[in-house]
């Protein structure tokens, strides 16, 4: 075989190796993705069954832990929710005032603030805050329990980790997140009213009357439904990532980060779907 | 009188992430004996224990507990089998949000219909047996490592199981605490007639309490010796096992 023929043969071999590696990577990715999907579906199914069980057997719910999470995810989060809500409403009204004044529609500023907050920004903003606080905390707690074999102990005692660890968190967040959203919306609306009163000179009674007309049942339900769905997603994803942690501190850190990132991603998708559902 | 076989391992192959750790294991544990699974670091002792207690699924083979397969059992049967034995984990694995007493009460609440007073009495009885009666209202982070292991044992004994598993019970303990725990295991075994399976490589504990042992080898991925530890130390022909049991010839200077 000549030198050039040998060279061609080695180039072909290299190409085959690259194609084989590429195909292996695709195969690996596909298998891992498939496994992840199966695990996620399995987890979702378990949580769903455990929730139904909790509804029919309320005495079996671990209420002490549920109230603990309601306190840490609810009342402890209230100050930041109120501050962020107020500032969001303020900024939204300021930006809206600049643009709407050009069009002579400055009296619509409060419409913009109220509807945007109640239907969209309020639930999302509170959900993102909750993901960072509650979602990461749930993942870290369960991840640490995995490292210290507490989850293994639970399984060998015949207890369902989903019933013991996930359901109290899900119930707690499903109760407090809509309440936090209401507080966040009120704080945001107050922020908007600051702008309409001090910058645009619109009287508070006039603004207040308009707010009452704007917050229709449909507008409120959209925000409420979003906050319930977001609560399920945040608690569910946080717990699921916690269960995925393996035996070391690094994996607990990774699962905590993943809980926040996945939570925010799922909130964005769920928000889009619910908004489309309410606007078609 | 022929003793009943409580744990039966048949042609067991275990591993994780498609990597075989141990293969073709065959051994059994008789009723009432203290059986030790020992071997070098990383040979798969804890993995074997976790397969036996149903936390992992083996690649091949079967595991029978009280004559019932935990590998082939459905979820309901598996949960019932799991309630028939108790497990004490390396660091106790106590639930951090509950007191020591509540950790034990949890099992009684879930699986018995006893009154609260009766359950409280059982909790105090179990804690007294392990010398922790005054610590019932303490949280797990408020007690020492040795106390956590004893509390873990009390919890494992809550439903009076006839089969107990220990994962590295002496790990991290000083010699006195380790000896105290060994005495407690012996006492529990004699008092209740329970069969005890221990995973450890602490030679002092092995020679103090084991009736029979199996020695696992990392490279051979299997059992290289089986029997009474003293007999193995005297008569075993496997050089590695002899080195292991003799602590590689490094004995205490007197």
């Amino acid at each position: 075989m000549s030198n050039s023929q040998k060279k061609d043969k080695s180039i072909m071999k290299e190409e085959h190796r690259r194609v084989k590696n590429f195909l292996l990577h695709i195969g690996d990715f596909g298998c891992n993705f498939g496994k992840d999907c199966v695990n996620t579906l399995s987890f979702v199914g378990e949580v769903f069954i455990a929730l139904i069980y909790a509804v029919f057997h309320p005495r079996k719910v671990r209420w002490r832990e549920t109230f603990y999470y309601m306190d840490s995810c609810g009342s402890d989060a209230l100050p930041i929710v109120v501050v962020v809500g107020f500032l969001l409403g303020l900024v939204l009204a300021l930006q809206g005032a600049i643009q709407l004044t050009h069009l002579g529609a400055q009296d619509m500023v409060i419409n913009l603030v109220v509807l945007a907050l109640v239907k969209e920004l309020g639930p999302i903003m509170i959900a993102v805050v909750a993901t960072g606080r509650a979602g990461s905390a749930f993942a870290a707690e369960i991840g640490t329990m995995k490292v210290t074999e507490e989850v293994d102990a639970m399984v060998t005692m015949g207890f369902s980790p989903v019933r013991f660890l996930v359901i109290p968190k899900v119930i707690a967040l499903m109760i407090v997140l809509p309440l936090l959203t209401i507080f966040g919306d009120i704080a945001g609306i107050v922020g908007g009213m600051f702008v309409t009163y001090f910058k645009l000179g619109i009287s508070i009674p006039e603004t207040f009357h308009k707010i009452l007309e704007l917050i229709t049942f449909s507008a409120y339900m959209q925000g409420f439904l979003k906050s319930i769905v977001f609560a399920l997603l945040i608690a569910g994803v946080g717990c699921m990532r916690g269960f995925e942690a393996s035996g070391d501190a690094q994996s607990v850190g990774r699962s905590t980060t993943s809980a926040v990132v996945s939570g925010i991603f799922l909130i964005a998708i769920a928000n889009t779907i619910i908004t489309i559902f309410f606007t078609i | 009188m022929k003793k009943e076989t409580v744990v039966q391992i048949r042609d067991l192959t275990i591993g994780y992430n498609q990597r075989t750790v141990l293969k073709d294991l065959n051994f059994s544990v008789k009723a009432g004996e203290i059986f030790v699974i020992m071997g070098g670091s990383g040979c798969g002792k804890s993995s074997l224990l976790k397969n036996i207690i149903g936390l992992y699924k083996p690649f091949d083979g079967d595991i029978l507990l009280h004559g019932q397969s935990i590998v082939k059992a459905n979820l309901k049967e598996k949960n019932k089998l799991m309630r028939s034995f108790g497990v004490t984990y390396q660091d106790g694995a106590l639930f951090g949000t509950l007191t020591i007493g509540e950790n034990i009460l949890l099992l009684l609440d879930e699986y018995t219909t006893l009154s609260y007073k009766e359950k409280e009495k059982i909790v105090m009885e179990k804690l007294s047996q392990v010398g922790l009666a005054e610590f019932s209202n303490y949280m797990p982070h408020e007690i020492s490592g040795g106390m956590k292991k004893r509390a873990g044992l009390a919890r494992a004994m809550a439903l009076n199981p006839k089969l107990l598993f220990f994962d590295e019970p002496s790990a991290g303990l000083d010699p006195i605490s380790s000896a105290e725990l060994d005495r407690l295991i012996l006492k529990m075994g004699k008092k209740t007639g329970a069969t005890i399976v221990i995973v450890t490589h602490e030679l002092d504990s092995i020679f103090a309490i084991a009736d029979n042992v199996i020695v696992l080898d990392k490279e051979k991925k299997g059992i290289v010796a089986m029997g009474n530890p003293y007999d193995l130390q005297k008569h075993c022909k496997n050089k590695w096992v002899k080195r292991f049991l003799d602590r590689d010839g490094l004995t205490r200077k007197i």
Side-chain angles (χ1 to χ4, degrees):
Chain A
M1 208 186 270
S2 68
N3 275 344
S4 64
Q5 277 177 327
K6 278 183 191 171
K7 203 177 174 184
D8 285 340
K9 202 176 177 186
S10 74
I11 289 170
M12 269 177 66
K13 265 188 185 170
E14 180 62 27
E15 280 296 315
H16 279 143
R17 194 185 61 83
R18 275 202 211 119
V19 168
K20 195 178 168 188
N21 279 349
F22 177 69
L23 289 171
L24 271 170
H25 280 310
I26 291 181
D28 262 344
F29 174 78
C31 283
N32 287 336
F33 183 73
K35 241 192 248 176
D36 275 344
C37 286
V38 167
N39 288 341
T40 304
L41 266 170
S42 166
F43 180 78
V44 166
E46 265 192 87
V47 172
F48 185 65
I49 289 169
L51 268 173
I52 292 178
Y53 182 84
V55 167
F56 289 103
H57 301 90
R59 277 188 171 194
K60 290 275 185 173
V61 175
R62 303 196 58 73
W63 289 110
R64 201 173 86 180
E65 279 78 4
T66 306
F67 292 140
Y68 167 78
Y69 292 121
M70 282 173 68
D71 185 37
S72 66
C73 303
S75 47
D76 286 356
L78 196 56
I80 187 171
V81 159
V82 166
V83 169
V84 171
F86 176 81
L87 294 173
L88 188 66
L90 192 85
V91 164
L92 192 61
L94 273 171
Q95 294 286 5
I98 293 168
Q99 300 303 319
L100 291 171
T101 307
H102 289 321
L103 302 168
Q106 54 268 36
D107 54 339
M108 299 293 278
V109 169
I110 200 65
N111 294 53
L112 171 71
V113 170
V114 169
L115 293 175
L117 272 174
V118 170
K119 288 184 177 182
E120 295 293 334
L121 296 177
I124 287 185
M125 175 208 44
I126 307 305
V128 169
V129 169
T131 305
R133 290 186 90 257
S136 61
F138 294 167
E141 183 186 317
I142 294 178
T144 306
M145 287 179 82
K146 277 215 75 182
V147 171
T148 57
E149 296 181 309
E150 284 176 61
V151 176
D152 286 349
M154 217 169 262
V155 172
T156 52
M157 283 158 67
F159 297 148
S160 161
V162 168
R163 182 158 80 85
F164 273 76
L165 300 177
V166 179
I167 294 304
K169 294 171 174 68
V170 168
I171 292 175
L173 214 52
M174 281 174 79
I175 293 171
V176 302
L177 205 64
L179 294 172
L180 281 176
T181 305
I182 291 172
F183 280 103
D185 289 346
I186 292 171
I189 291 169
V190 168
M193 282 171 77
F194 254 63
V195 173
T196 58
Y197 181 70
F198 289 109
K199 188 173 167 65
L200 302 175
I202 302 171
S203 72
I204 290 179
E206 192 186 333
T207 309
F208 188 71
H209 185 72
K210 215 173 185 183
I211 290 167
L212 292 177
E213 283 177 359
L214 285 167
I215 302 180
T216 60
F217 180 73
S218 160
Y220 173 72
M221 276 313 292
Q222 194 173 340
F224 178 77
L225 181 66
K226 281 182 182 178
S227 60
I228 296 279
V229 170
F230 294 164
L232 259 169
L233 289 172
I234 294 165
V237 167
C239 293
M240 194 175 83
R241 293 298 183 226
F243 281 120
E244 286 170 4
S246 52
D248 58 358
Q250 264 189 343
S251 73
V252 175
R254 276 197 301 273
S255 70
T256 309
T257 307
S258 175
V260 175
V261 170
S262 306
I264 291 172
F265 178 68
L266 286 172
I267 284 164
I269 293 177
N271 183 62
T272 309
I273 293 170
I274 296 172
T275 302
I276 291 171
F277 175 75
F278 270 89
T279 50
I280 51 168
Chain B
M1 198 171 104
K2 208 176 177 186
K3 283 185 179 176
E4 180 204 347
T5 298
V6 176
V7 179
Q8 176 90 50
I9 307 299
R10 283 182 191 160
D11 303 320
L12 192 70
T13 298
I14 65 168
Y16 50 88
N17 294 339
Q18 294 166 350
R19 191 171 79 90
T20 302
V21 173
L22 294 164
K23 55 186 182 183
D24 301 323
L25 301 177
N26 283 283
F27 65 90
S28 60
V29 183
K30 301 287 180 207
E33 73 174 350
I34 297 179
F35 188 90
V36 168
I37 298 170
M38 56 186 268
S41 304
C43 70
K45 305 185 293 294
S46 291
S47 299
L48 175 58
L49 181 69
K50 289 189 175 180
N51 274 269
I52 294 173
I53 60 178
L55 285 174
Y56 300 160
K57 205 169 162 87
F59 289 167
D60 200 9
D62 205 358
I63 300 163
L64 297 159
L65 302 178
H66 304 292
Q68 225 186 320
S69 170
I70 198 167
V71 175
K72 293 170 189 159
N74 61 34
L75 193 62
K76 209 174 171 179
E77 290 165 347
K78 197 174 179 181
N79 278 344
K80 196 179 169 189
L81 255 179
M82 280 177 163
R83 291 203 294 274
S84 71
F85 59 78
V87 186
T88 306
Y89 292 85
Q90 198 167 319
D91 293 315
L94 299 169
F95 303 134
T97 55
L98 304 175
T99 63
I100 309 299
E102 284 168 346
N103 265 270
I104 302 168
L105 196 62
L106 193 65
L107 276 159
L108 299 169
D109 275 342
E110 193 71 15
Y111 299 123
T112 69
T113 50
L114 300 166
S115 68
Y116 183 73
K117 267 193 175 165
E118 284 168 322
K119 284 185 254 186
E120 271 277 303
K121 196 176 159 196
I122 293 172
V123 167
M124 292 315 293
E125 189 189 304
K126 299 299 173 191
L127 286 175
S128 301
Q129 284 171 1
V130 299
L132 292 175
E134 317 94 70
F135 296 91
S136 169
N137 293 323
Y138 279 58
M139 299 298 284
H141 65 263
E142 292 173 329
I143 58 175
S144 70
M147 289 162 85
K148 281 182 196 167
K149 286 176 194 274
R150 283 189 279 152
L153 172 57
R155 186 179 66 182
M157 296 289 300
L159 299 176
N160 299 318
K162 285 295 181 201
L163 178 58
L164 281 168
F165 293 96
F166 289 82
D167 187 7
E168 308 268 11
S170 305
L173 295 183
D174 61 82
I176 295 174
S177 303
S178 176
E180 273 174 13
L181 191 63
D182 288 340
R183 267 190 215 105
L184 194 56
I185 292 170
L186 275 171
K187 186 176 135 192
M188 287 293 176
K190 276 194 185 122
K191 189 174 179 181
T192 62
T195 307
I196 296 172
V197 178
I198 304 172
V199 164
T200 185
H201 53 210
E202 298 285 336
L203 289 176
D204 290 336
S205 292
I206 293 166
F207 282 108
I209 63 176
D211 293 320
N212 278 308
V213 306
I214 54 166
V215 185
L216 301 173
D217 186 81
K218 188 177 175 178
E219 273 157 34
K220 293 200 169 84
K221 296 186 182 179
I223 300 170
V224 290
M226 202 186 301
N228 178 274
Y230 286 99
D231 290 342
L232 288 177
Q233 193 183 38
K234 280 183 203 156
H235 306 300
C236 184
K237 289 184 178 124
N238 187 308
K239 285 183 185 166
W240 182 83
V241 172
K242 278 196 80 82
R243 270 179 65 203
F244 190 94
L245 292 171
D246 285 339
R247 213 166 161 258
D248 202 14
L250 196 67
T251 50
R252 202 177 291 167
K253 289 179 186 168
I254 300 166

